[in-house]
Amino acid sequence: MSNWQDEIKRLGKREFELREMERLGFWPPATVGDVPQTFDDMRAKIAPINHELRDIAEQTRPLRLRQSEVERELAQTGDIEARLTLIRQQRIERVKIARAERKERRAREREERLATDKVRRRELLPHLGRGVSSRLHFCIPSDAEKLARFQLPVWNEPADLANSLGISREQLAWLCYHREVAPIDHYSHFSIPKRSGGTRAISAPRPYLKAAQAQILTGVLNQVEVHEAAAAFLPGRNIANNAQKHAHCAEGGPSVVLRVDLKDFFPSITFARVAGVFASLGYNAGISTLLALICTESPRIEATFDGQKSFVALGDRFVPQGAPTSPALTNLLCRRLDARLTGLAKHYNFTYTRYADDLVFSSPRSDARVISLQRGIFKILDSEQFTVNPDKVAIMRRGSRQSVTGLVVNSDLGPRLSRRDLRRFRAILHDIETDGADTVSEKMGKSALHYARGYLAFVHMVNPETATKLRLKHTWLNTNGPV
C-alpha cells in the first residue's frame, strides 16, 4: 500500500484532501476574506457546530428509536387498510354488544319499576282526577299525637282508610274519583220548599257513599268538640234552646237583636277547606284529600252525548246539603269564626250563637253599640272567607217582634211560636179535616199528614202546652192512620 493510502487511513479522507489542497497551493482561496487560512483554523471554527450536531443527535435518539419501532410494527402489520377495516369491524361488534346489554338492562329496570309500581298502587291509589291528585301525598305519616288528643283513628295510607270503612282499595278509589264528566252520580238531587219561600237544593248520597260518610261522621267528626256558640246539628241543641239564649228573661228581654245571614253557606265550604279541616285534626295530606273527596261533590246536571248519559260538573266541589257529614263539617270549619265572633260579641256586651248560616247577636242593654258590632262582624266574616247576604241582615229593637231561628224571643214566657205561624198551622189542620188530607196534600205538593204531625212535634219542642191543646182538639194527630 502506498504512503498516501496510509495517510488517508490515518487522517480520514476529507482531512487528507484538505491537507493536499493546502500543500499544492489551492488553499486557502485568495478571494474569500473570512475563510480560515489554515486547516487548523477551519477545524477550530467548525468544532462548535459539530458539538451542536452531536447534541441534536443525542436529543433525537429516542425519536429515532421510536421511529424504528413503528417501522417494525408496520412491517409486522402488513396491509394497513385491511388492519383498519378489521379494527372498525371489531369496534362495531363491541358497540352492538354494548347496545344489546343496555337494552336488556333497561328492559329489566322497566320490569322492576312496573313491579314496584304495581305494589305501590296496591298500597296507595292511582290518579284520582284533575285538580285533586296533586294532593295525594302519603310520604309523611299522620300526626299520631294530635289524633290521639281527639281520640281519632290513625290513618297513614289509603289501605288504612279503606279497611276502616270496610271497603276495598278499588272501591275507595271509585268513591273518591273526581271527573268533570262522570258516567254515574253518587247523589240523588231534589228540592224542598223553604219556609221563607223558594226551594232548597238537596243532594242525598246513594247508600254506598252514605255508609262511608256515616262512618266518617261517627268515627271522626263527632269526636271533635265544636265551639259552644254552634247551635245546629248537635245532640241536645235545637232552635228552641238557641232562641232561649237570646231571650234574656232575667233582664226583661233583649234590647236589641242583630241577625246576619251568610250567603251560599254550604257552597262556600269548598273541597280545599274541608281537606284543611281534616289536616287540622292531624291527618296527612293524602288522607285529608281522600276524606274531603268522600265528603264533597260538584253540582252536576245530566246530559247525553252520542246516546251515552253522563253527569257534567258545573263547578268546584263543596259540602252538599243532604250528606250526613256536611253539618258537622260546617261546625268544625267555623270553630275559629265562632271563637272570633264570640270575643267580639263579649267586647260589646252581646250574646252570640250560630245556627248553621244564621248568626244572631243580642244584648239586654239599651246602650248596646250594635252598629260598631256590625262593622266588626263584617270584617271578620270577610277575613274568614264568608259572604254576608245583605237582604237578610236585620236589627230588631225592643218594641217590635224580635225573632231568632223562627221563634219570638221578646216574650214574657220565653221563646214561642209567632201568632202568624200558629194561625197558619191551625188553618192547615182545619183544611185537612174539612177537605181531606189528599186535597190538602195536592195543594201543598207534599203529604199533608206528614207535615201536620211533623210540625206538631216542632210545636211540642217549643211549647208543650200548646201542642197538648192541639192534640186534644185534633185527635187524629195522635194516630198514624188517614183522616
Side-chain angles (χ1 to χ4, degrees):
M1 181 181 297
S2 62
N3 291 334
W4 63 268
Q5 290 176 329
D6 294 337
E7 286 296 314
I8 289 175
K9 289 181 180 180
R10 186 176 66 84
L11 298 175
K13 182 180 179 182
R14 179 165 294 279
E15 187 169 353
F16 176 80
E17 289 175 347
L18 290 173
R19 286 181 182 275
E20 285 298 307
M21 289 175 66
E22 184 179 3
R23 183 178 64 81
L24 295 174
F26 293 106
W27 188 270
T31 57
V32 181
D34 60 346
V35 177
Q37 298 300 313
T38 65
F39 176 75
D40 292 335
D41 293 339
M42 182 189 69
R43 187 169 56 185
K45 191 170 185 177
I46 67 173
I49 298 174
N50 290 332
H51 183 71
E52 291 181 6
L53 291 174
R54 284 194 297 271
D55 290 343
I56 293 173
E58 187 65 27
Q59 292 174 1
T60 58
R61 184 172 180 274
L63 296 176
R64 293 196 305 274
L65 293 175
R66 179 57 185 158
Q67 181 181 2
S68 299
E69 293 177 359
V70 172
E71 289 173 350
R72 286 195 298 271
E73 290 176 358
L74 289 174
Q76 294 173 358
T77 301
D79 190 348
I80 296 178
E81 290 299 326
R83 187 67 176 174
L84 290 176
T85 300
L86 178 61
I87 292 173
R88 293 191 191 99
Q89 290 176 348
Q90 291 175 346
R91 185 173 60 187
I92 292 172
E93 290 298 325
R94 288 197 301 271
V95 170
K96 287 182 178 179
I97 293 172
R99 185 181 297 141
E101 291 176 350
R102 188 164 57 249
K103 185 177 181 180
E104 182 181 355
R105 184 180 68 255
R106 289 176 177 173
R108 185 169 60 252
E109 291 174 351
R110 184 169 58 253
E111 291 177 359
E112 291 173 355
R113 285 197 304 270
L114 291 174
T116 302
D117 187 63
K118 188 175 182 180
V119 173
R120 184 185 65 83
R121 285 173 176 268
R122 278 199 298 265
E123 296 174 352
L124 303 178
L125 284 177
H127 179 74
L128 290 182
R130 187 175 62 182
V132 300
S133 294
S134 59
R135 302 168 178 262
L136 294 173
H137 303 304
F138 303 97
C139 52
I140 300 176
S142 298
D143 190 336
E145 183 178 347
K146 184 181 287 188
L147 293 172
R149 288 203 300 268
F150 293 117
Q151 298 183 349
L152 300 180
V154 178
W155 297 325
N156 293 311
E157 304 287 348
D160 300 335
L161 177 58
N163 292 336
S164 183
L165 296 179
I167 58 178
S168 66
R169 184 194 65 86
E170 290 76 14
Q171 290 172 319
L172 177 63
W174 180 66
L175 286 178
C176 295
Y177 202 98
H178 173 73
R179 295 179 176 88
E180 300 295 332
V181 180
I184 61 170
D185 192 348
H186 292 307
Y187 290 83
S188 298
H189 305 278
F190 55 92
S191 299
I192 60 174
K194 294 182 180 180
R195 290 184 59 194
S196 58
T199 59
R200 187 186 307 278
I202 301 297
S203 298
R206 300 192 185 279
Y208 48 83
L209 178 58
K210 185 177 181 180
Q213 291 176 343
Q215 292 187 66
I216 294 172
L217 175 65
T218 57
V220 177
L221 301 178
N222 285 347
Q223 303 299 317
V224 184
E225 186 176 357
V226 302
H227 195 274
E228 61 182 6
F233 319 126
L234 294 165
R237 303 189 197 183
N238 51 49
I239 63 173
N241 53 44
N242 177 56
Q244 183 65 46
K245 293 180 180 180
H246 298 279
H248 299 285
C249 296
E251 294 90 351
S255 173
V256 61
V257 175
L258 169 62
R259 208 169 65 208
V260 178
D261 191 79
L262 301 181
K263 185 178 181 181
D264 298 328
F265 180 57
F266 279 87
S268 69
I269 312 298
T270 60
F271 163 77
R273 300 180 79 174
V274 173
V277 169
F278 289 111
S280 70
L281 301 180
Y283 290 111
N284 63 28
I287 294 297
S288 298
T289 298
L290 295 178
L291 292 171
L293 287 169
I294 292 175
C295 298
T296 62
E297 178 58 303
S298 299
R300 295 182 181 273
I301 59 170
E302 184 177 329
T304 302
F305 300 97
D306 296 331
Q308 180 70 35
K309 184 169 67 174
S310 300
F311 298 90
V312 182
L314 298 180
D316 296 331
R317 299 177 72 97
F318 58 84
V319 291
Q321 292 193 66
T325 49
S326 295
L329 281 169
T330 61
N331 281 338
L332 291 179
L333 182 70
C334 290
R335 283 179 300 175
R336 188 173 66 180
L337 172 68
D338 291 337
R340 295 181 67 184
L341 291 179
T342 297
L344 181 69
K346 288 181 179 179
H347 176 74
Y348 288 105
N349 298 305
F350 275 78
T351 297
Y352 161 69
T353 62
R354 179 184 56 81
Y355 196 92
D357 57 352
D358 191 1
L359 316 181
V360 181
F361 303 80
S362 65
S363 176
R365 297 179 55 162
S366 58
D367 60 346
R369 298 166 58 191
V370 66
I371 301 301
S372 297
L373 173 68
Q374 179 178 306
R375 284 197 294 265
I377 292 169
F378 287 179
K379 288 181 180 179
I380 291 176
L381 290 175
D382 183 65
S383 67
E384 293 290 334
Q385 302 178 45
F386 289 103
T387 304
V388 175
N389 187 343
D391 297 331
K392 293 188 177 181
V393 176
I395 297 177
M396 299 167 284
R397 299 187 181 274
R398 184 175 289 166
S400 62
R401 189 180 73 171
Q402 297 171 321
S403 63
V404 174
T405 52
L407 302 179
V408 177
V409 293
N410 54 335
S411 169
D412 295 338
L413 301 177
R416 61 173 176 80
L417 287 168
S418 67
R419 294 185 179 87
R420 183 187 60 188
D421 290 340
L422 279 176
R423 281 198 299 269
R424 184 168 56 241
F425 183 51
R426 289 191 178 103
I428 290 174
L429 297 179
H430 174 75
D431 290 343
I432 291 174
E433 292 174 344
T434 303
D435 302 329
D438 293 340
T439 302
V440 178
S441 296
E442 188 175 349
K443 284 183 183 180
M444 297 177 66
K446 56 186 175 183
S447 172
L449 291 178
H450 290 166
Y451 170 81
R453 293 186 175 110
Y455 198 83
L456 180 64
F458 170 69
V459 174
H460 179 82
M461 177 184 67
V462 179
N463 194 330
E465 294 180 359
T466 301
T468 299
K469 292 178 181 178
L470 290 172
R471 284 194 182 93
L472 292 175
K473 184 176 181 180
H474 308 280
T475 56
W476 55 270
L477 287 171
N478 300 316
T479 64
N480 292 325
V483 177

Short mmCIF file of all heavy atoms in Angstrom, two decimals, residues 16 47 83 101-102 107 114 143 151 165 168 174 203 296 308:
data_model
loop_
_atom_site.label_atom_id
_atom_site.label_comp_id
_atom_site.label_asym_id
_atom_site.label_seq_id
_atom_site.Cartn_x
_atom_site.Cartn_y
_atom_site.Cartn_z
N PHE A 16 -7.46 14.52 4.63
CA PHE A 16 -6.35 14.27 3.70
C PHE A 16 -6.46 15.16 2.47
O PHE A 16 -5.49 15.74 2.02
CB PHE A 16 -6.34 12.79 3.31
CG PHE A 16 -5.30 12.46 2.28
CD1 PHE A 16 -3.94 12.29 2.63
CD2 PHE A 16 -5.65 12.33 0.93
CE1 PHE A 16 -2.99 12.01 1.63
CE2 PHE A 16 -4.69 12.03 -0.03
CZ PHE A 16 -3.37 11.87 0.32
N ALA A 47 -15.74 23.17 14.99
CA ALA A 47 -15.86 22.32 16.19
C ALA A 47 -17.16 22.58 16.95
O ALA A 47 -17.87 21.63 17.35
CB ALA A 47 -14.61 22.51 17.08
N ARG A 83 -55.98 -3.88 8.05
CA ARG A 83 -55.94 -3.82 9.51
C ARG A 83 -56.96 -2.83 10.05
O ARG A 83 -57.66 -3.09 11.02
CB ARG A 83 -54.53 -3.40 9.94
CG ARG A 83 -54.28 -3.44 11.43
CD ARG A 83 -54.31 -4.85 11.94
NE ARG A 83 -53.98 -4.88 13.37
CZ ARG A 83 -54.05 -5.96 14.11
NH1 ARG A 83 -54.42 -7.12 13.55
NH2 ARG A 83 -53.72 -5.92 15.38
N GLU A 101 -76.71 -5.09 25.56
CA GLU A 101 -76.68 -5.15 27.02
C GLU A 101 -77.44 -4.00 27.64
O GLU A 101 -78.18 -4.18 28.62
CB GLU A 101 -75.22 -5.13 27.49
CG GLU A 101 -74.43 -6.40 27.15
CD GLU A 101 -72.97 -6.28 27.55
OE1 GLU A 101 -72.55 -5.15 27.91
OE2 GLU A 101 -72.26 -7.30 27.51
N ARG A 102 -77.31 -2.81 27.06
CA ARG A 102 -78.03 -1.64 27.56
C ARG A 102 -79.53 -1.82 27.39
O ARG A 102 -80.32 -1.49 28.29
CB ARG A 102 -77.54 -0.39 26.84
CG ARG A 102 -78.08 0.90 27.41
CD ARG A 102 -77.28 2.11 26.92
NE ARG A 102 -77.26 2.19 25.46
CZ ARG A 102 -76.19 1.99 24.72
NH1 ARG A 102 -75.04 1.66 25.29
NH2 ARG A 102 -76.24 2.10 23.40
N ALA A 107 -84.76 -2.88 29.83
CA ALA A 107 -85.98 -3.69 29.90
C ALA A 107 -86.15 -4.29 31.29
O ALA A 107 -87.27 -4.32 31.85
CB ALA A 107 -85.94 -4.79 28.84
N LEU A 114 -92.17 -1.44 36.97
CA LEU A 114 -93.59 -1.81 36.86
C LEU A 114 -94.02 -2.66 38.04
O LEU A 114 -95.12 -2.49 38.58
CB LEU A 114 -93.84 -2.54 35.54
CG LEU A 114 -93.74 -1.68 34.27
CD1 LEU A 114 -93.86 -2.57 33.02
CD2 LEU A 114 -94.81 -0.61 34.26
N ASP A 143 -100.24 12.84 62.07
CA ASP A 143 -99.77 13.24 63.39
C ASP A 143 -100.49 12.39 64.45
O ASP A 143 -101.59 12.73 64.89
CB ASP A 143 -100.03 14.73 63.61
CG ASP A 143 -99.35 15.28 64.85
OD1 ASP A 143 -99.07 14.48 65.77
OD2 ASP A 143 -99.11 16.49 64.92
N GLN A 151 -108.82 11.55 70.08
CA GLN A 151 -109.27 10.15 70.10
C GLN A 151 -109.79 9.72 68.72
O GLN A 151 -110.85 9.12 68.59
CB GLN A 151 -110.35 9.95 71.17
CG GLN A 151 -109.87 10.23 72.58
CD GLN A 151 -110.92 9.96 73.63
OE1 GLN A 151 -112.09 9.76 73.32
NE2 GLN A 151 -110.51 9.93 74.89
N LEU A 165 -113.21 1.62 56.66
CA LEU A 165 -114.55 1.80 56.09
C LEU A 165 -115.17 0.48 55.63
O LEU A 165 -116.32 0.45 55.22
CB LEU A 165 -114.48 2.77 54.90
CG LEU A 165 -114.04 4.21 55.21
CD1 LEU A 165 -113.99 5.04 53.93
CD2 LEU A 165 -114.98 4.87 56.22
N SER A 168 -112.79 -2.10 49.74
CA SER A 168 -111.50 -2.38 49.12
C SER A 168 -110.85 -1.08 48.66
O SER A 168 -111.49 -0.02 48.61
CB SER A 168 -111.67 -3.32 47.92
OG SER A 168 -112.40 -2.66 46.89
N TRP A 174 -112.96 4.42 43.64
CA TRP A 174 -114.21 4.66 42.90
C TRP A 174 -115.05 5.73 43.59
O TRP A 174 -115.63 6.61 42.93
CB TRP A 174 -114.97 3.36 42.79
CG TRP A 174 -116.26 3.46 42.04
CD1 TRP A 174 -116.44 3.73 40.72
CD2 TRP A 174 -117.58 3.28 42.60
NE1 TRP A 174 -117.78 3.73 40.41
CE2 TRP A 174 -118.51 3.45 41.53
CE3 TRP A 174 -118.06 2.97 43.86
CZ2 TRP A 174 -119.87 3.35 41.72
CZ3 TRP A 174 -119.43 2.85 44.05
CH2 TRP A 174 -120.32 3.04 42.98
N SER A 203 -128.90 17.29 48.01
CA SER A 203 -128.15 16.22 47.34
C SER A 203 -127.96 15.09 48.34
O SER A 203 -127.15 15.21 49.27
CB SER A 203 -126.79 16.73 46.84
OG SER A 203 -126.96 17.76 45.90
N THR A 296 -117.35 15.69 49.77
CA THR A 296 -117.73 16.82 48.91
C THR A 296 -118.13 16.31 47.53
O THR A 296 -117.86 15.17 47.17
CB THR A 296 -116.56 17.81 48.75
OG1 THR A 296 -115.44 17.13 48.12
CG2 THR A 296 -116.12 18.37 50.09
N GLN A 308 -125.03 8.40 25.16
CA GLN A 308 -124.50 7.97 26.44
C GLN A 308 -124.84 9.02 27.50
O GLN A 308 -124.49 10.18 27.37
CB GLN A 308 -122.98 7.80 26.37
CG GLN A 308 -122.32 7.36 27.66
CD GLN A 308 -122.66 5.93 28.02
OE1 GLN A 308 -122.80 5.09 27.14
NE2 GLN A 308 -122.81 5.67 29.31
#
